[in-house]
Structures are given as C-alpha cells and as structure tokens.
Amino acid sequence: MPAQNKYQRVTISDVATRAGVSTATVSRVVNGGEGVAARTVAIVNQAIQDLNYRPNAAAQGLARQRAQTISLVVDEVGGEYFSQMLRGVQQATSDAGYDLLIYATRRNPTFIMPQQNADGVIVFANSLRDAEILRLGNADLPVVLLHGTRPPGCNAPLVTVENQRGAYELTQYLLEVRQYRRFAFLRGADGHDDALMREQGYREALTQHGLDYDQQVIGRGDFEEETSREVVTQWLRRGLKMDVIVAADDDSAIGAMVALRDAGLRIPEDVAVVGYDDIRLARFYDPPLTTVRVAIEESAHVAVEQLIHYLKHGSAESTIRLPTELVIRRSCGCC
Amino acid sequence: MPAQNKYQRVTISDVATRAGVSTATVSRVVNGGEGVAARTVAIVNQAIQDLNYRPNAAAQGLARQRAQTISLVVDEVGGEYFSQMLRGVQQATSDAGYDLLIYATRRNPTFIMPQQNADGVIVFANSLRDAEILRLGNADLPVVLLHGTRPPGCNAPLVTVENQRGAYELTQYLLEVRQYRRFAFLRGADGHDDALMREQGYREALTQHGLDYDQQVIGRGDFEEETSREVVTQWLRRGLKMDVIVAADDDSAIGAMVALRDAGLRIPEDVAVVGYDDIRLARFYDPPLTTVRVAIEESAHVAVEQLIHYLKHGSAESTIRLPTELVIRRSCGCC
DNA sequence: CTGAAAGCGCTTACAG
DNA sequence: CTGAAAGCGCTTACAG
C-alpha cells in the first residue's frame, strides 16, 4: 500500500468555519449542546458529519485537565486469569465512558508509569514490587490495587478476594469430609501475596486438625504448570507418599496431575488433587478439577468502579474482599 | 479512604524554575538531552527527580501532533484466542515505545472510533462490519486489518493466516490417510471471514475427492461450544451417521466432543473430531484434539509492525498471510 | 548551548 | 444563546 500520508486532520475550527459559528459553540455542541439553540445544534452537527470531525483527545484532555482514561498495569498479558480480569476492567471502563490503556511489567520490571497519560490506574498488585506501588501511590496518580495485598505505608484502596478463607474451607473439606491426612502443598509464585494468603488458610486448617504443617510435603508450584509438574515428579521419584496435593492455583494443579499420570498414578484413586481459581480448563480437564472459584471478572469490575468513584468524589472503600466458592469436582475423590 | 484529591500535578515550568532554566531546555532534556550541556542535563535531571516530574502525555501529544499510541479494536475481550492476540499486540506495541488502547465492539456494535486518540488502529477485522471498516479506512486514521478479509473498496493492509489452505490440508489428511468418507462440518460464526475461508478449504478437499459437499452433514458451530454441542446432539438424535466432525474452530470442536460423549460415543473410535486454532485446551483435552495451529500471537505482532512502519514511512505490505501447521493428536484417530 | 514565543486543538469563565 | 480570549502543558523553529 504505497498510499501517501494524507491524514490531514479536521479540527474544531474547520467545523466552526463551515457552520458559520465560533469554536466555542462547536465545542458546546460536541459536549451535549447544553444551552445552544436547537437550530444551531442542527447546523453544527451537519458540519461535523460532513467533515467527519472527531475531537482530538489530546487537546480535550489538556483543556479539561483529565484524560478520561484509566490504565491497567499487569505483570503479563495472556492466560485465563488475566483474560477474565481484563474483561472485567474493560467492561467497567467502557461503561463509565473511559478509555483503557494496558501496560505489562513482566518485560519491563522497572516500569514506573513513565507518563502522565491516565487519570488513574488499576494495579494488579502482584505485578509490581512494593516499592513501586508505594512510589505510584505517593505520586500524583490515584491508584486502586487489584488482588494481592496493600504494602505497608500505602493507603490505596484494595479490591481482592477471600484467599485465606477459601483455602481454609477447601482444606477443611479435605480433612473432614474426605478424611485425608497426608497432604502435599504446591506454593504459588514468590512475592505473590494471594499465594501467601492461600498458604496461610491451608496451614490454619491443618493446624486446627492437629497436623503439623512443616511435616507435610511442600514444594514450589510457582503458579506454573511446568514448575509444579517437575516438583511433583521429584516427589514421586523420592518415594514421598500423599493422599492429596493442594495447589495454590489451577495451573500448578494441572501440572501436578500431568506428573501423577505420567507416573502411572490414578487421580483421585491414588492421589487426589485440588487447585484454586477455577479457570476454564478446570471444568474440562479429566478428571474435572476441584477448586475454589474466584470472582476474577467481578473484582476487576469493582476495582474500576472504586477508582472512578475516587476520581469523582475523592474517596473510595479502603478494602473490598469478594467471597469465594468451593467447587467440588472429581479430582478430589468426592463424587 | 477519605483522602482528599491532593493531585496537584507538577509541570514542566515547575521543573524549569527549580533548575533555573527555560522550559525549552527542560523539554530537550526530557527528550534525550541532544545539544544540551552535560552540566545542564544533570541539573535538570536532578530537578525532575526531586519533583517526581512526569510529562503530561496529552500536552506532548498535542504539541508533537502524535499520540504515540495505537488502539486495538476487537469484538470481545476474553478467551484464549483473544488473549494470544492481545499478547502479541501488547508486546510489539510496547517494544516500539507506543501505548496501547483497547476497545471492544461487542457491547457497542455501532462503535466508530469516537475520538482521535491514537495514531493508528489495529482492527480485528471480524469485530467490525464492512461498512465500519471502510469508514475507518476513509477517515483520517491509519488502519491495519488483523485476520478476516479486506472488504471490497478498502485498501488497508491485512495481516492474517492461511485459513483456506490449513483447512484444505487437514481435510485432505482425513480423506487420504484416515480414509474417512462420511463428513460433518460445523460452520464458524456468521460474517466471520476466517470461518468462510476454512469452509472453502474443507469443501475444496472434499470436492477433489469426489465427495459432494452438500450431501455431507453441515451445521452451525458459531465458534462456540454451546451452539455446537446442541447441534451435534440434534444430529445424533436424528440418527445421522458420520466418521468425523470437522469444526471451524477448537471451541466448537470441544462442544462436539462433549455432545458425543454425552451420547455415549467414543472419540475417535466411533466418531473422530478435529478443530482449528490449537488453543491451549486442545492439548489438554481428553482425547487431545487434532487441529491446525494458527500463529495468532505472531500475526498480531506483525500487524503492529506493519502499522508502525506505515506511521513512519507511509507504506506497508498490502497482505501478509502467515502459514499454519497441522497438529495431529488423538481425536482424529491417528495415533 | 539556551531562551522567547508561537502554536498544537480544545474548553470555559466572562461579557454581552 | 453566542463569541473573544485566555489557558491547559508541552515542542520546536528561530535568534542569539
């Protein structure tokens, strides 16, 4: 396509000229037409249509002192979890009439909001180190934390889910209903606060049943299929025995199942497996995975609402924690 | 969090004052410091740091006449396919130093790029009707089409994958190697050009082998698990017989498998199933799904490169079509 | 190497 | 109901 750059933009002055009015009037029409004569509105709209005029967002943003944009900072784009989160953020954002900017920190770990191009930012809290979150919070940009925990010294609103309680209930169930006693745990990613909370819930349930947390098998799941698969393979090679593997998320639960199956073990007859999150795959896997459903999309939605509320009224809920739900499927030997 | 809105932004003038230079000099430093005395650069940078100054993107955009932003228009956020596409777009965009804006048209079908807030746009072509694509193309905004086809009268660059050939090769394989003769086809979503091309490839292979396309079973898959599941259930209820179900995408292939299994049929022994795309689930499903791998992420990457090339040099490749790859797994009865 | 000044395309009191 | 004009925060020839 050898086309030239013929992109000569039409501005508000062009519209004003064609309509025979001032730019102020065009501006009023563009912004709803309050207090403009109906006849004038019609003329201006005609000119706008004729010229296919679309306002320049940068100029509007500069004049209005607001970008009408929020940005979402995540660690990485991709995967089911992210996908659901983005969906929630995108819907809420567009419903509120804001634009949505996406940043990924994974490939750019020192990411520090280079510009001032949004009115506020939703930070997937596990995507930034505490220092960076603090820096954002102390800078001149309203922040809402999504998932994770609020670092000490930070007072940005936080929207998250019941990580600790969900893990507690799940473990409780495995202990009381299934009567399992030999547990193995696959930790989540380092520095991931949700992972820590889940681990605490798990630990709490064990302790309450008189089991020593440290005596159970523990390994790194890293929220990754590959890692957990290797870890579990090692466990089996070393002859470790367990009734059930509790993974800090569904991805590592799946890695565990792959490893078990590769070793010729049956799930759940030989070893049961449970996860956390209830990603799409959990329902489809064979056997279907017992897990804890997390309202990912809804929490994202709520985070945006909080941010926008803050932008409009200067305040927001300090902490909102959405409930989780136990989802019993075959992998835990329950049905 | 009852905090007040204390967001008093620091501007280039504040920095200039503190550094004892003009705003022009600060601007030069911010933009690389070309032709500024090393000593001055240091002083200005110090002031920038002291004040935690970050340039206002709107003002920069207005002055530079470019937003340094591209937008991505998709039909819907969510799902594996989208997720991979976004990943490719986001990486390429950020590597090139651009910001990324996301729009979803599904909930806003008459979406017409309301503002002029990006330098160019990547359109997931299946997300917009032809008329809207044309309108965008004729407007003052560089467009690159991603997947789908270019509507007549539009000359925007197109980046896509080999839909027709991939489907042809897959069908060919089923005919020649597997010797299947009774085919059923699950169409993709209406108006989805990729779906049409796949159907054509399928048809071409059948015809070449002397099979009449119209005599085979055909139904709507809609690129959706639910739809295809219902359709296949109907087929079975009506007593239709088939050796293999060819689905226009993996999601509907999975719906088909669910329906078959619900009816007590074995895959692939009783009926084989194949899909298209090679989403993550395809590998994990039981049985693993034979499909055609599509370079979703890479095509997204290339689309961004083309757009940026166009922004810089005023030209881009008219059409780029990425190759696909046959992925043979158990669901087609092949191993 | 540095600064004064115009200009980018809007919005919004302020007057009338 | 409408317009003239200042101002939003930058960049960039142009002078020096």
Side-chain angles (χ1 to χ4, degrees), chain A residues 1 3 9 54 87 140 155 314, chain B residues 1 3 54 116 140 155 314:
Chain A
M1 194 177 77
R9 302 239 145 106
R54 286 170 298 115
R87 189 187 174 94
D140 47 4
N155 66 345
Chain B
M1 196 179 74
R54 286 170 298 115
Q116 183 184 305
D140 48 5
N155 65 345

Side-chain angles (χ1 to χ4, degrees), chain A:
Chain A
M1 194 177 77
Q4 285 312 298
N5 201 320
K6 28 107 204 230
Y7 297 121
Q8 209 78 280
R9 302 239 145 106
V10 9
T11 72
I12 200 172
S13 312
D14 299 325
V15 176
T17 303
R18 175 176 256 256
V21 299
S22 71
T23 60
T25 296
V26 175
S27 174
R28 288 185 191 109
V29 172
V30 166
N31 292 291
E34 292 289 311
V36 179
R39 194 179 137 62
T40 310
V41 170
I43 294 174
V44 171
N45 275 328
Q46 186 56 248
I48 287 176
Q49 219 178 76
D50 292 346
L51 299 174
N52 194 204
Y53 167 71
R54 286 170 298 115
N56 178 313
Q60 284 185 318
L62 188 57
R64 291 179 181 153
Q65 294 288 77
R66 118 182 87 84
Q68 201 67 15
T69 299
I70 74 169
S71 51
L72 171 66
V73 177
V74 296
D75 53 348
E76 197 171 12
V77 166
E80 187 59 22
Y81 190 93
F82 161 78
S83 184
Q84 286 182 39
M85 185 166 86
L86 177 59
R87 189 187 174 94
V89 168
Q90 161 0 73
Q91 289 192 178
T93 303
S94 104
D95 285 353
Y98 280 73
D99 278 346
L100 209 216
L101 239 19
I102 305 287
Y103 295 94
T105 56
R106 175 68 67 106
R107 327 180 69 227
N108 182 190
T110 56
F111 172 85
I112 303 282
M113 208 50 73
Q115 295 175 307
Q116 184 185 305
N117 48 190
D119 304 317
V121 46
I122 304 278
V123 177
F124 176 55
N126 295 303
S127 64
L128 246 35
R129 273 167 284 148
D130 282 5
E132 287 170 335
I133 294 180
L134 279 172
R135 173 152 177 187
L136 267 185
N138 293 331
D140 47 4
L141 199 62
V143 173
V144 168
L145 269 17
L146 180 55
H147 300 224
T149 53
R150 187 172 18 235
C154 174
N155 66 345
L158 169 68
V159 177
T160 185
V161 296
E162 296 276 16
N163 285 298
Q164 186 163 353
R165 177 182 313 201
Y168 173 82
E169 284 173 0
L170 173 59
T171 311
Q172 178 92 336
Y173 176 86
L174 296 170
L175 284 158
E176 299 191 346
V177 179
R178 301 308 309 164
Q179 300 275 36
Y180 292 136
R181 282 299 173 271
R182 296 179 303 176
F183 282 73
F185 187 76
L186 285 166
R187 290 211 157 89
D190 273 352
H192 216 105
D193 295 311
D194 293 326
L196 277 176
M197 301 308 286
R198 291 172 191 183
E199 189 167 346
Q200 276 181 35
Y202 164 76
R203 179 179 201 147
E204 195 183 332
L206 284 194
T207 309
Q208 255 181 37
H209 281 73
L211 292 180
D212 187 343
Y213 168 82
D214 295 312
Q215 278 189 235
Q216 309 292 326
V217 181
I218 303 171
R220 305 182 42 156
D222 266 2
F223 284 171
E224 273 176 29
E225 203 183 292
E226 269 312 297
T227 312
S228 71
R229 187 224 281 241
E230 284 164 22
V231 166
V232 172
T233 300
Q234 283 305 320
W235 286 349
L236 299 175
R237 213 166 271 164
R238 281 162 46 203
L240 297 182
K241 302 288 182 204
M242 58 210 73
D243 301 324
V244 58
I245 298 177
V246 178
D249 84 320
D250 288 348
D251 277 313
S252 48
I254 283 167
M257 292 201 280
V258 171
L260 290 170
R261 194 172 295 167
D262 285 352
L265 295 169
R266 291 165 308 160
I267 307 161
E269 293 79 0
D270 298 321
V271 181
V273 176
V274 300
Y276 210 105
D277 283 341
D278 196 23
I279 62 173
R280 187 170 126 87
L281 190 47
R283 200 169 67 248
F284 287 113
Y285 204 82
D286 182 36
L289 182 66
T290 289
T291 186
V292 178
R293 181 172 304 145
V294 163
I296 305 172
E297 187 170 333
E298 193 192 344
S299 60
H301 215 276
V302 171
V304 171
E305 284 165 3
Q306 290 300 308
L307 179 55
I308 288 175
H309 189 276
Y310 184 82
L311 292 176
K312 287 193 178 145
H313 310 105
S315 73
E317 293 291 324
S318 174
T319 303
I320 293 180
R321 204 174 294 278
L322 269 33
T324 51
E325 182 194 348
L326 215 56
V327 181
I328 308 294
R329 298 201 184 95
R330 238 176 46 234
S331 74
C332 70
C334 311
C335 17

